Amino acid sequence: MKEITIDYALRATWQAVARMYNEEAKKFGSTMAVGFTLLSIDPKTGTPSTALGPKMGMEATSLSRILKSMQEKGLIERKPNPNDGRGVLIHLTDFGLEKRSDSKNAVIRFNEIIRQNVSNEKLAAFFEVSETINKLIADKEIYTKDTTN
């Protein structure tokens, strides 16, 4: 391929970031998926289990597997949702809060290093392009039912 496509650059970059986070998480006996889940749970009030999947962009079956593993490791506990008798809130345990802090520090470190090496203007352009791509996808402006090719 003479010219790198946009989707290739996005995919290759994300795979490198995921690999880096997984290597860092391994030092703490964890994975990037667990770290991301810890960061997605409200540390004070908990988070409804039904809200976690959409918040993380994850399928319910994958999330269920991660939550089961996290509960077995003592990172989370499930409690009835007082506002919805059928629902469950996911709460972090003290151990989960500690591991959440490790995850948060890893994300902060990544962002600090990137910001030290990429100008504010380039970062602003990166975020603008990302926002445009997401909007085009959300508005279904890339592939429509009438697309013929």
Coordinates of all heavy atoms in Angstrom, one line a residue, residues 91-143:
H91 N -20.5 -1.4 42.2 CA -19.8 -0.5 43.1 C -18.3 -1.1 43.1 O -18.1 -2.3 43.1 CB -20.4 -0.5 44.5 CG -21.6 0.2 44.6 ND1 -21.6 1.6 44.9 CD2 -22.9 -0.1 44.5 CE1 -22.9 2.0 45.0 NE2 -23.7 1.0 44.7
L92 N -17.4 -0.2 43.3 CA -16.0 -0.5 43.5 C -15.8 -0.9 45.0 O -16.3 -0.2 45.8 CB -15.1 0.6 43.1 CG -15.1 1.0 41.6 CD1 -14.3 2.3 41.4 CD2 -14.7 -0.1 40.7
T93 N -15.0 -1.9 45.2 CA -14.6 -2.3 46.6 C -13.4 -1.4 46.9 O -12.9 -0.6 46.0 CB -14.2 -3.7 46.7 OG1 -13.1 -3.9 45.8 CG2 -15.3 -4.7 46.3
D94 N -12.9 -1.5 48.1 CA -11.7 -0.7 48.5 C -10.5 -1.1 47.6 O -9.8 -0.3 47.1 CB -11.3 -0.9 50.0 CG -12.3 -0.2 50.9 OD1 -13.0 0.7 50.4 OD2 -12.3 -0.6 52.1
F95 N -10.4 -2.4 47.3 CA -9.4 -3.0 46.4 C -9.6 -2.4 45.0 O -8.7 -2.0 44.3 CB -9.4 -4.5 46.4 CG -8.3 -5.1 45.6 CD1 -7.0 -4.8 45.7 CD2 -8.7 -6.1 44.7 CE1 -6.0 -5.4 44.9 CE2 -7.7 -6.7 43.9 CZ -6.4 -6.4 44.0
G96 N -10.9 -2.4 44.6 CA -11.2 -1.8 43.2 C -10.8 -0.3 43.1 O -10.3 0.1 42.1
L97 N -11.1 0.4 44.2 CA -10.7 1.8 44.2 C -9.2 2.0 44.1 O -8.7 2.9 43.4 CB -11.2 2.5 45.5 CG -12.7 2.8 45.5 CD1 -13.1 3.1 47.0 CD2 -13.1 3.9 44.6
E98 N -8.5 1.1 44.8 CA -7.0 1.1 44.7 C -6.5 0.9 43.2 O -5.7 1.6 42.7 CB -6.4 0.1 45.6 CG -4.9 0.0 45.8 CD -4.5 -1.2 46.7 OE1 -5.1 -1.3 47.8 OE2 -3.6 -1.9 46.3
K99 N -7.1 -0.2 42.6 CA -6.7 -0.5 41.3 C -7.2 0.5 40.3 O -6.6 0.8 39.2 CB -7.3 -1.9 40.9 CG -6.6 -3.0 41.6 CD -5.2 -3.1 41.3 CE -4.4 -4.2 42.1 NZ -3.0 -4.1 41.7
R100 N -8.3 1.2 40.6 CA -8.8 2.3 39.7 C -7.8 3.4 39.7 O -7.5 4.0 38.7 CB -10.2 2.8 40.3 CG -10.8 3.9 39.4 CD -12.1 4.4 40.0 NE -12.9 5.2 39.1 CZ -12.7 6.5 38.8 NH1 -11.7 7.1 39.4 NH2 -13.4 7.1 37.9
S101 N -7.2 3.7 40.9 CA -6.2 4.7 41.0 C -5.0 4.4 40.1 O -4.4 5.2 39.4 CB -5.8 4.9 42.5 OG -4.8 5.8 42.6
D102 N -4.6 3.1 40.1 CA -3.5 2.7 39.3 C -3.8 2.9 37.8 O -3.0 3.4 37.0 CB -3.2 1.2 39.5 CG -2.6 0.8 40.8 OD1 -2.1 1.7 41.5 OD2 -2.7 -0.3 41.2
S103 N -5.0 2.6 37.4 CA -5.5 2.8 36.0 C -5.5 4.2 35.7 O -5.0 4.6 34.6 CB -6.9 2.2 35.8 OG -6.9 0.8 36.0
K104 N -6.0 5.1 36.6 CA -6.1 6.5 36.3 C -4.7 7.1 36.1 O -4.5 7.9 35.2 CB -6.8 7.2 37.5 CG -7.1 8.6 37.3 CD -7.9 9.2 38.4 CE -8.2 10.7 38.2 NZ -9.0 11.2 39.3
N105 N -3.8 6.7 37.0 CA -2.4 7.1 36.9 C -1.8 6.8 35.5 O -1.0 7.6 34.9 CB -1.5 6.6 38.0 CG -1.9 7.3 39.3 OD1 -2.4 8.4 39.4 ND2 -1.7 6.6 40.4
A106 N -2.1 5.6 35.0 CA -1.5 5.1 33.7 C -2.1 6.0 32.6 O -1.3 6.4 31.7 CB -1.9 3.7 33.5
V107 N -3.4 6.3 32.7 CA -4.0 7.2 31.6 C -3.4 8.6 31.7 O -3.1 9.2 30.7 CB -5.5 7.2 31.8 CG1 -6.2 8.2 30.9 CG2 -6.1 5.8 31.5
I108 N -3.3 9.1 32.9 CA -2.7 10.5 33.1 C -1.3 10.5 32.5 O -1.0 11.5 31.8 CB -2.8 10.9 34.6 CG1 -4.2 11.2 35.0 CG2 -1.9 12.1 34.8 CD1 -4.4 11.3 36.5
R109 N -0.5 9.5 32.8 CA 0.9 9.5 32.4 C 0.9 9.5 30.8 O 1.7 10.2 30.2 CB 1.6 8.2 32.9 CG 2.9 7.9 32.3 CD 4.0 8.7 33.1 NE 5.3 8.3 32.5 CZ 6.3 9.1 32.3 NH1 6.2 10.4 32.7 NH2 7.4 8.7 31.8
F110 N 0.1 8.6 30.2 CA 0.0 8.6 28.7 C -0.3 10.0 28.2 O 0.4 10.5 27.3 CB -1.1 7.6 28.3 CG -1.3 7.6 26.8 CD1 -0.5 7.0 25.9 CD2 -2.5 8.2 26.3 CE1 -0.7 7.0 24.6 CE2 -2.8 8.2 25.0 CZ -1.9 7.7 24.1
N111 N -1.3 10.6 28.7 CA -1.8 11.9 28.2 C -0.7 13.0 28.5 O -0.4 13.8 27.6 CB -3.1 12.4 28.9 CG -4.3 11.7 28.2 OD1 -4.8 12.3 27.3 ND2 -4.6 10.5 28.6
E112 N 0.0 12.9 29.6 CA 1.1 13.9 29.9 C 2.2 13.8 28.8 O 2.7 14.8 28.3 CB 1.7 13.7 31.3 CG 0.8 14.2 32.4 CD 1.3 13.8 33.8 OE1 2.3 13.0 33.9 OE2 0.8 14.4 34.8
I113 N 2.6 12.6 28.6 CA 3.7 12.3 27.6 C 3.3 12.8 26.2 O 4.1 13.4 25.5 CB 4.2 10.9 27.6 CG1 4.7 10.5 29.0 CG2 5.2 10.6 26.6 CD1 5.9 11.3 29.5
I114 N 2.1 12.4 25.8 CA 1.6 12.9 24.5 C 1.6 14.4 24.4 O 2.1 15.0 23.4 CB 0.2 12.3 24.1 CG1 0.3 10.7 24.1 CG2 -0.3 12.8 22.8 CD1 1.3 10.1 23.2
R115 N 1.1 15.0 25.4 CA 1.0 16.5 25.4 C 2.4 17.2 25.4 O 2.6 18.2 24.9 CB 0.2 17.0 26.6 CG -1.3 16.7 26.4 CD -2.2 17.2 27.5 NE -3.6 16.8 27.4 CZ -4.4 17.3 26.5 NH1 -4.1 18.3 25.7 NH2 -5.7 16.9 26.5
Q116 N 3.4 16.5 26.0 CA 4.7 17.0 26.0 C 5.4 16.9 24.6 O 6.3 17.6 24.3 CB 5.6 16.3 27.0 CG 5.3 16.6 28.4 CD 6.0 15.7 29.4 OE1 7.0 14.9 29.0 NE2 5.6 15.7 30.7
N117 N 4.8 16.0 23.8 CA 5.5 15.7 22.5 C 4.6 16.1 21.3 O 5.1 16.0 20.1 CB 5.8 14.2 22.4 CG 6.9 13.8 23.3 OD1 8.1 13.9 22.9 ND2 6.6 13.4 24.5
V118 N 3.4 16.6 21.5 CA 2.6 17.0 20.4 C 2.0 18.4 20.8 O 1.5 18.6 21.9 CB 1.4 16.1 20.2 CG1 0.5 16.5 19.0 CG2 1.9 14.6 19.9
S119 N 2.1 19.3 19.8 CA 1.7 20.7 20.1 C 0.2 20.8 20.3 O -0.6 19.9 19.9 CB 2.1 21.6 18.9 OG 1.2 21.3 17.8
N120 N -0.2 21.8 21.0 CA -1.6 22.1 21.3 C -2.4 22.2 20.0 O -3.6 21.7 19.9 CB -1.9 23.3 22.1 CG -1.5 23.1 23.6 OD1 -1.4 22.0 24.1 ND2 -1.1 24.2 24.2
E121 N -1.8 22.8 19.0 CA -2.5 23.0 17.7 C -2.7 21.6 17.0 O -3.8 21.3 16.5 CB -1.7 23.9 16.7 CG -1.6 25.3 17.2 CD -0.5 25.5 18.3 OE1 0.4 24.7 18.5 OE2 -0.7 26.5 19.0
K122 N -1.7 20.7 17.1 CA -1.9 19.4 16.4 C -2.9 18.6 17.2 O -3.7 17.8 16.6 CB -0.5 18.7 16.4 CG 0.4 19.3 15.3 CD 1.7 18.5 15.2 CE 2.5 19.0 14.1 NZ 3.8 18.3 14.0
L123 N -2.9 18.7 18.5 CA -3.9 17.9 19.3 C -5.3 18.4 19.1 O -6.2 17.6 18.9 CB -3.6 18.1 20.8 CG -2.5 17.1 21.4 CD1 -2.2 17.4 22.8 CD2 -2.9 15.7 21.2
A124 N -5.4 19.7 18.9 CA -6.7 20.3 18.6 C -7.2 19.8 17.3 O -8.4 19.4 17.1 CB -6.7 21.8 18.6
A125 N -6.3 19.7 16.3 CA -6.7 19.2 15.0 C -7.0 17.7 15.1 O -8.0 17.2 14.4 CB -5.5 19.4 14.0
F126 N -6.3 17.0 15.9 CA -6.6 15.5 16.1 C -8.0 15.3 16.6 O -8.7 14.5 16.1 CB -5.5 14.9 17.0 CG -5.8 13.5 17.5 CD1 -5.6 12.4 16.6 CD2 -6.3 13.3 18.7 CE1 -6.0 11.2 17.1 CE2 -6.6 12.1 19.2 CZ -6.5 11.0 18.4
F127 N -8.3 16.1 17.7 CA -9.6 16.0 18.3 C -10.7 16.4 17.3 O -11.8 15.8 17.3 CB -9.7 16.7 19.6 CG -9.0 16.1 20.7 CD1 -7.9 16.7 21.4 CD2 -9.3 14.8 21.1 CE1 -7.3 16.1 22.4 CE2 -8.6 14.2 22.2 CZ -7.6 14.8 22.8
E128 N -10.5 17.4 16.5 CA -11.4 17.9 15.6 C -11.7 16.8 14.5 O -12.9 16.5 14.1 CB -11.0 19.2 14.9 CG -12.0 19.8 14.0 CD -11.4 21.1 13.3 OE1 -10.6 21.7 13.9 OE2 -11.9 21.4 12.2
V129 N -10.6 16.2 14.0 CA -10.8 15.1 13.0 C -11.5 13.9 13.6 O -12.4 13.4 13.0 CB -9.4 14.7 12.5 CG1 -9.5 13.4 11.6 CG2 -8.8 15.8 11.6
S130 N -11.2 13.6 14.8 CA -11.8 12.4 15.5 C -13.3 12.7 15.7 O -14.2 11.9 15.4 CB -11.2 12.2 16.9 OG -9.9 11.8 16.8
E131 N -13.7 13.9 16.1 CA -15.1 14.3 16.2 C -15.8 14.3 14.9 O -16.9 13.8 14.8 CB -15.1 15.8 16.8 CG -16.5 16.2 17.2 CD -16.5 17.6 17.8 OE1 -15.7 17.9 18.7 OE2 -17.3 18.4 17.4
T132 N -15.2 14.7 13.8 CA -15.8 14.7 12.5 C -16.1 13.3 12.1 O -17.1 12.9 11.6 CB -14.9 15.4 11.5 OG1 -14.8 16.8 11.9 CG2 -15.6 15.4 10.1
I133 N -15.1 12.4 12.3 CA -15.2 11.0 11.9 C -16.4 10.4 12.7 O -17.3 9.7 12.1 CB -13.9 10.2 12.1 CG1 -12.9 10.6 11.1 CG2 -14.2 8.7 12.0 CD1 -11.5 10.1 11.4
N134 N -16.4 10.6 14.0 CA -17.5 10.0 14.8 C -18.9 10.6 14.4 O -19.9 9.8 14.3 CB -17.3 10.3 16.3 CG -16.2 9.4 16.8 OD1 -16.3 8.2 16.6 ND2 -15.3 9.9 17.6
K135 N -18.9 11.8 14.0 CA -20.2 12.4 13.6 C -20.7 11.9 12.3 O -21.8 11.5 12.1 CB -20.1 14.0 13.5 CG -21.4 14.6 13.2 CD -21.3 16.1 13.2 CE -22.6 16.9 12.9 NZ -23.7 16.2 12.3
L136 N -19.7 11.7 11.3 CA -20.1 11.1 10.0 C -20.6 9.7 10.2 O -21.6 9.3 9.5 CB -18.9 11.2 9.1 CG -18.5 12.5 8.6 CD1 -17.1 12.5 7.9 CD2 -19.5 13.1 7.6
I137 N -20.0 9.0 11.1 CA -20.4 7.6 11.3 C -21.8 7.6 12.0 O -22.7 6.9 11.6 CB -19.4 6.8 12.2 CG1 -18.1 6.6 11.3 CG2 -19.9 5.5 12.6 CD1 -16.9 6.1 12.1
A138 N -21.9 8.4 13.1 CA -23.2 8.5 13.8 C -24.4 8.9 12.9 O -25.5 8.4 13.0 CB -23.1 9.4 15.0
D139 N -24.1 9.8 12.0 CA -25.1 10.3 11.1 C -25.3 9.5 9.9 O -26.1 9.8 9.0 CB -24.8 11.8 10.7 CG -24.8 12.8 11.8 OD1 -25.4 12.4 12.9 OD2 -24.3 13.9 11.6
K140 N -24.6 8.3 9.9 CA -24.7 7.4 8.8 C -24.4 8.0 7.4 O -25.1 7.7 6.4 CB -26.0 6.6 8.8 CG -26.2 5.9 10.1 CD -27.4 5.0 10.0 CE -27.7 4.3 11.3 NZ -26.7 3.6 12.0
E141 N -23.4 8.9 7.4 CA -23.1 9.6 6.1 C -22.0 8.9 5.3 O -21.7 9.4 4.3 CB -22.7 11.0 6.5 CG -23.9 11.8 7.0 CD -23.6 13.3 7.1 OE1 -22.7 13.8 6.4 OE2 -24.1 14.0 8.0
I142 N -21.5 7.8 5.8 CA -20.5 7.1 5.0 C -21.1 6.0 4.2 O -20.9 6.0 3.0 CB -19.3 6.6 6.0 CG1 -18.7 7.8 6.6 CG2 -18.3 5.8 5.2 CD1 -17.6 7.5 7.6
Y143 N -21.8 5.2 4.8 CA -22.5 4.1 4.1 C -24.0 4.2 4.4 O -24.4 4.2 5.5 CB -22.1 2.7 4.6 CG -20.6 2.5 4.4 CD1 -19.7 2.4 5.5 CD2 -20.0 2.4 3.2 CE1 -18.4 2.2 5.4 CE2 -18.7 2.1 3.0 CZ -17.8 2.1 4.1 OH -16.5 1.9 3.9

